[in-house]
Amino acid sequence: HVRSRRQRQMCIRDRSTGLSMHGKIVAMDKGKMLWERKGDSTAGKIHEYCLFDFTEPGKFAHTIVNRTVDGIHVPSEEGITITLNKQE
């Protein structure tokens, strides 16, 4: 038997900034997902790993774990968490 595993993917396009990103989930565990994302921006080619955290009900946290632009490490953009709360 051949088993096929559906790969979770996403595409983000922001027309206002010219950013276009594609990503895939590389790991998942207990409400957390590690994404590998690649794309093009006005600054250059972006490659990053992001952690999406859904462990708290009604809350989504997004943290850039590692980012490079045109192959150059950009530590100033890492570790910042953006949190969105569900509106009642």
Side-chain angles (χ1 to χ4, degrees):
H1 294 278
V2 176
R3 286 187 176 183
S4 65
R5 183 175 160 191
R6 285 182 45 184
Q7 194 173 41
R8 303 274 186 207
Q9 297 183 356
M10 73 172 170
C11 178
I12 298 172
R13 187 158 309 206
D14 185 340
R15 291 183 184 153
S16 65
T17 63
L19 176 67
S20 177
M21 301 275 295
H22 297 273
K24 64 180 179 179
I25 295 174
V26 293
M28 288 191 313
D29 188 39
K30 299 178 184 166
K32 294 183 181 182
M33 295 183 284
L34 182 64
W35 287 87
E36 178 181 22
R37 305 190 319 172
K38 298 176 183 179
D40 296 306
S41 74
T42 55
K45 294 204 175 286
I46 296 173
H47 181 247
E48 65 185 18
Y49 288 92
C50 300
L51 182 64
F52 288 12
D53 186 341
F54 298 95
T55 55
E56 291 185 48
K59 187 181 277 190
F60 163 63
H62 170 232
T63 304
I64 296 172
V65 178
N66 181 283
R67 176 179 276 181
T68 61
V69 177
D70 285 338
I72 299 168
H73 185 221
V74 187
S76 62
E77 297 183 15
E78 297 173 355
I80 299 168
T81 300
I82 298 169
T83 303
L84 301 174
N85 294 305
K86 183 179 177 181
Q87 291 187 341
E88 299 298 323

